[in-house]
Amino acid sequence: MSVDKWLGDSITESIHPDFPLNVWKEFASFCAIPHGTFDCQRISKAVAEWGKRHSFETDVDEAGNVMIRKPASKGKEHIPSLCFQAHIDMVCTKESSLTFDFKTTGIQTRLVNDPQYGPSVMGTGTTLGADDGIGAAAALALLLENDLEHGPLECLFTVDEEVGLVGAGKLQPGFVKSKFCVNLDAFDDKTITIGCAGGFGRTLTRTYQPASSSNTKIEGDFTKVTVRLFDCRSGHSGFDIGAGRANGILALSTIMFTATRNFTIYTSRIDGGTKLNVIPQECETDVWVAKKDVEAFETKVQQAYQVLKADFSGHDDEMKLEIKKDDSSQPNGDSVLNPMDSHQIFALLMTTPHGVLRLSQICPGKVESSVNFYRCTLTATPFVLSTSFKYRSSSQEQIEGFRTQLESYALVNGFVSSEFFSEYPAWIPVPQSKLLSVTKRAYAAARLSTNVTTMSQEQGDQYCNDKIMVHHVGLEPCMMTKLYPGMEFVTLGAHISNCHSPTESLHIQSVRPFYNTLLNIIRIFE
């Protein structure tokens, strides 16, 4: 797809007089190649071929991570090597009604006019992949800046970041030669990140006996009712966890617990949520209701839904409810839960941990610790309830404490625990470093449209005084600080809204100042 067709001829002229066209060209190329997490072979190959085509030293490790190196400009060989790092996988989520195969189809981009942020790029019913496609595109564009004097540059492109920082965790000593690294995976262009949360995932399972095992007799005529809650706003399970958005699993469980109190029901299936880094967008369940009670039951479900929707007004206004009825078959005692378990299972799910657990003392108003209840299934033959969690914290003590808390929750509620997965440590902030000082000057000059060489350290420090943050996400420095002791990090990015959801949006006017900051860092780094 041509960039002119993708952006429109007028966009490059109207956004900014020196629109960073190379950034957008590379981003368009990323969008055209399927590159979901654990499906990075094609994008890794494409990035490596790009490096070789432009005659840069290019290495690919066994995991598929790509390193592209550009030698120093003449007379700049004494400057320490500087690394720019981005990940090349994306979270693949879509609107529930959309038929779309992320493994075979590139992202279909579109331009929208965001009332708050102006011209923006989105996918069409899918995630966009600006996390972290725009960071990777910016890194490639930096390598094409032939008029920029610089020391040795490295651009590192890691795979499979979105589920446990897998690619960064497989880096080997010597693959990265730099001692200074700018991570390009921020969503907020108004901050400089110097630390982030660690975390882990865990799944708890509980077995149930079918109704037939308790000699429950199913008498009378029944209707299978499928209740589906969908189009919750969703979002990044770290960055957006404190935004007050509905968890589709908890929301449906609340509706069903409320609606089933005065009815005999038989539950046969629950299915909600998708990925550990996505707040659940939807959930659905199949229950069997006596035909004589179906109308009254449906009324109770709708009433509970309206109460819930009012509770999330202003936070999750687009959530929807769907009820389908099927009279073509009758429940079998081997394929449904008994009435008591059918009701209590929704009560249990309502008490499942989710959301903000503690606010930060270092960054007032920001989240320190949280948990995302991201996946839930009830499957038959045998009946197994599976619940999965993603926990995050910038405090290692809190991480250890929640492990114990989760064990106690499992013990009390009859769950069996799986092994921990997607584990990574917190990136502990270092408030004073050479790279951070340089970044402050570069950032301030880019935002003030000032020549960075005339920007004093005092001016940079003052401008960035309230912009230094520890964010509630997982970033590659979590892994790289262990692998490369002494390496200094900062994280920067363009502005992306609603990451990891089908409403993900990249705000076009944030890209130029982001890119200018990177250029400025190179200009003054010594």
Side-chain angles (χ1 to χ4, degrees), residues 229-244:
L229 187 78
F230 62 104
D231 281 358
C232 296
R233 190 173 179 184
S234 185
H236 188 290
S237 65
F239 198 79
D240 297 315
I241 198 71

Side-chain angles (χ1 to χ4, degrees), residues 406-440:
L406 201 56
E407 288 294 337
S408 64
Y409 171 83
L411 181 64
V412 169
N413 292 288
F415 284 100
V416 176
S417 299
S418 72
E419 295 297 318
F420 293 103
F421 55 87
S422 298
E423 292 187 80
Y424 53 89
W427 167 22
I428 305 302
V430 178
Q432 302 290 335
S433 73
K434 173 181 176 177
L435 182 57
L436 179 58
S437 295
V438 169
T439 302
K440 288 177 180 179

Side-chain angles (χ1 to χ4, degrees), residues 152-361:
L153 298 179
E154 293 187 315
C155 287
L156 172 63
F157 304 89
T158 53
V159 298
D160 303 333
E161 181 270 353
E162 294 290 3
V163 184
L165 314 177
V166 173
K170 292 182 178 179
L171 292 169
Q172 296 298 313
F175 195 71
V176 182
K177 303 183 188 303
S178 305
K179 294 295 184 183
F180 304 90
C181 181
V182 182
N183 171 268
L184 306 176
D185 193 19
F187 317 143
D188 182 1
D189 67 324
K190 300 297 191 292
T191 62
I192 300 170
T193 302
I194 63 168
C196 72
F200 64 83
R202 195 154 203 190
T203 296
L204 307 180
T205 57
R206 173 177 168 173
T207 302
Y208 286 84
Q209 296 300 315
S212 58
S213 68
S214 59
N215 296 319
T216 300
K217 292 183 179 181
I218 303 175
E219 298 177 337
D221 291 330
F222 283 79
T223 296
K224 185 172 79 170
V225 181
T226 299
V227 183
R228 176 175 171 240
L229 187 78
F230 62 104
D231 281 358
C232 296
R233 190 173 179 184
S234 185
H236 188 290
S237 65
F239 198 79
D240 297 315
I241 198 71
R245 300 176 185 179
N247 176 314
I249 303 168
L250 292 178
L252 182 66
S253 298
T254 301
I255 290 170
M256 294 303 294
F257 177 75
T258 303
T260 59
R261 283 175 178 165
N262 299 315
F263 300 97
T264 297
I265 66 161
Y266 296 90
T267 302
S268 60
R269 184 181 67 93
I270 301 171
D271 190 355
T274 53
K275 297 177 174 63
L276 83 172
N277 46 16
V278 180
I279 299 170
Q281 184 183 19
E282 67 175 283
C283 186
E284 67 179 29
T285 184
D286 293 337
V287 297
W288 299 81
V289 182
K291 282 189 178 180
K292 63 181 179 62
D293 295 328
V294 167
E295 185 175 342
F297 174 73
E298 186 173 355
T299 298
K300 288 291 186 183
V301 169
Q302 290 286 359
Q303 289 173 344
Y305 165 65
Q306 292 301 327
V307 170
L308 185 83
K309 191 164 185 178
D311 189 40
F312 283 98
S313 177
H315 296 282
D316 223 317
D317 295 322
E318 299 302 317
M319 73 165 70
K320 300 176 181 64
L321 182 77
E322 178 183 75
I323 300 174
K324 293 182 178 179
K325 292 167 282 188
D326 181 2
D327 292 321
S328 63
S329 61
Q330 292 297 299
N332 182 305
D334 293 331
S335 60
V336 295
L337 299 181
N338 66 52
M340 179 178 291
D341 287 340
S342 292
H343 180 62
Q344 288 183 351
I345 199 168
F346 294 114
L348 174 61
L349 294 177
M350 281 179 62
T351 67
T352 302
H354 175 81
V356 175
L357 301 175
R358 194 161 87 169
L359 295 178
S360 173
Q361 300 298 310

